[in-house]
Amino acid sequence: MDKIEQYRQLIEQILSEHAQTSSNTDPVKPQLIIDSKNDHYQLTYVGWKGDKRVFGPVLHFDIIKGKIWIQYNGTEDAIAERLVKLGVPHSDIVIGFHSPFKRQFTSYAVE
């Protein structure tokens, strides 16, 4: 299996695991949005709690130029470290929600 396909599978695994943490009876449902043709991956919650609309991303990843970009992490989990534990090198992970200036001070890729 090539690297990009492996990264796609790892991202889908992480998103699926997070989606399974919600209750089946909860009116707010997780939605996995997977565009493997353009390498965009997102977990979003959609629904209603009483009379209040709930809609928003929980996790968003892109694969850009062979690297996993974490575009948004609305969880308390250290997603980048999870990717490292799954075998992704630090040099192939970009913390996209940090500015390029801040990225240079992390152990991850700048771009």
Side-chain angles (χ1 to χ4, degrees), residues 4-65:
I4 300 301
E5 188 56 39
Q6 178 188 11
Y7 288 177
R8 288 177 180 136
Q9 287 184 4
L10 292 175
I11 290 168
E12 289 185 36
Q13 174 186 333
I14 290 170
L15 292 175
S16 295
E17 288 171 5
H18 277 276
Q20 291 173 2
T21 62
S22 66
S23 157
N24 287 339
T25 60
D26 194 340
V28 177
K29 301 292 183 200
Q31 288 186 353
L32 291 176
I33 302 167
I34 296 173
D35 175 5
S36 53
K37 179 181 176 189
N38 296 299
D39 283 321
H40 305 296
Y41 307 86
Q42 189 174 83
L43 171 62
T44 300
Y45 284 118
V46 179
W48 290 88
K49 279 198 174 183
D51 61 351
K52 184 172 179 159
R53 177 74 170 154
V54 176
F55 177 84
V58 178
L59 288 165
H60 180 126
F61 298 92
D62 290 322
I63 298 175
I64 302 171
K65 296 180 182 174

